[in-house]
Amino acid sequence: MSPKQQRGEATVELLLDAALRVYAEAGEQGLTVNAITQASGVSLGSLYHHFGSLNGLTDALMNRWLGRMLGELVTAVQGTRTARTGIRAIVEAYLRFVQEHHDAALLLHSPMADRRGMANGQELRDAQEARLSPMTAWIQLHVRSGELAPLPLGLIESLVMGPVVGVARRRLSGIDDVDLDEAARILPERIWLSVAGE
């Protein structure tokens, strides 16, 4: 990699890291081009050169962290032997991600992320296809074996992820009535009952 490419990558990292910090400190309303350039020390021209717009930067930031989270879920499930232990691994990995990467989790569960997801759901899914393929293959394998119920893939994903995302959102919104460690102990078995094969 040339020195120019290295500088470009370093600039991209500075901007993405600064954008997450600004979002965590000031929320969506405070996530402005000026705030990000001030926090990063990167020029306005460089921001536009690398991302095209504020939306381009925030999309890249969300894709970066969504990719990391999906990577952790895939790693967790690949280390399991049964569908039941896989469900447990998915739940635990997701909730651990929320605890360890609070600012990124806050962004991924934000109204801004929801709006982008609703407007560009298939595009976002396509962008993460490489990360999602192993999870899809894992689900299909366990449906074929009879361990998971023969439901459409989207329903299995919703039954598994829906409760976990709900708990994460609750906690991230400041509602303190659910302990994530307790949820990691209770949810896997409850979720398993909803997707287990006959």
Side-chain angles (χ1 to χ4, degrees), residues 61-79:
L61 181 62
M62 285 188 269
N63 280 331
R64 169 199 242 192
W65 283 101
L66 180 58
R68 287 183 183 180
M69 182 178 68
L70 292 173
E72 290 186 22
L73 297 181
V74 167
T75 298
V77 81
Q78 286 178 333

Side-chain angles (χ1 to χ4, degrees), residues 10-140:
T11 299
V12 165
E13 292 299 312
L14 282 171
L15 287 164
L16 291 172
D17 290 345
L20 184 60
R21 279 195 318 276
V22 169
Y23 179 81
E25 293 167 8
E28 184 178 351
Q29 298 305 316
L31 190 62
T32 65
V33 169
N34 288 338
I36 294 165
T37 56
Q38 277 188 322
S40 66
V42 173
S43 73
L44 183 63
S46 288
L47 185 151
Y48 284 112
H49 170 74
H50 290 288
F51 297 104
S53 66
L54 179 60
N55 282 344
L57 187 146
T58 56
D59 286 347
L61 181 62
M62 285 188 269
N63 280 331
R64 169 199 242 192
W65 283 101
L66 180 58
R68 287 183 183 180
M69 182 178 68
L70 292 173
E72 290 186 22
L73 297 181
V74 167
T75 298
V77 81
Q78 286 178 333
T80 63
R81 290 189 294 165
T82 68
R84 190 178 206 159
T85 58
I87 297 298
R88 176 167 297 285
I90 290 168
V91 172
E92 290 172 350
Y94 194 101
L95 296 177
R96 187 171 48 254
F97 179 91
V98 169
Q99 288 178 315
E100 292 175 359
H101 305 286
H102 178 270
D103 295 348
L106 198 59
L107 175 70
L108 291 176
H109 294 85
S110 70
M112 178 171 59
D114 287 346
R115 287 192 306 275
R116 292 251 166 64
M118 293 298 286
N120 306 307
Q122 190 60 51
E123 181 182 319
L124 289 171
R125 190 170 181 90
D126 292 347
Q128 296 295 336
E129 186 57 38
R131 298 256 190 226
L132 290 168
S133 293
M135 189 70 76
T136 300
W138 181 86
I139 291 170
Q140 290 170 338

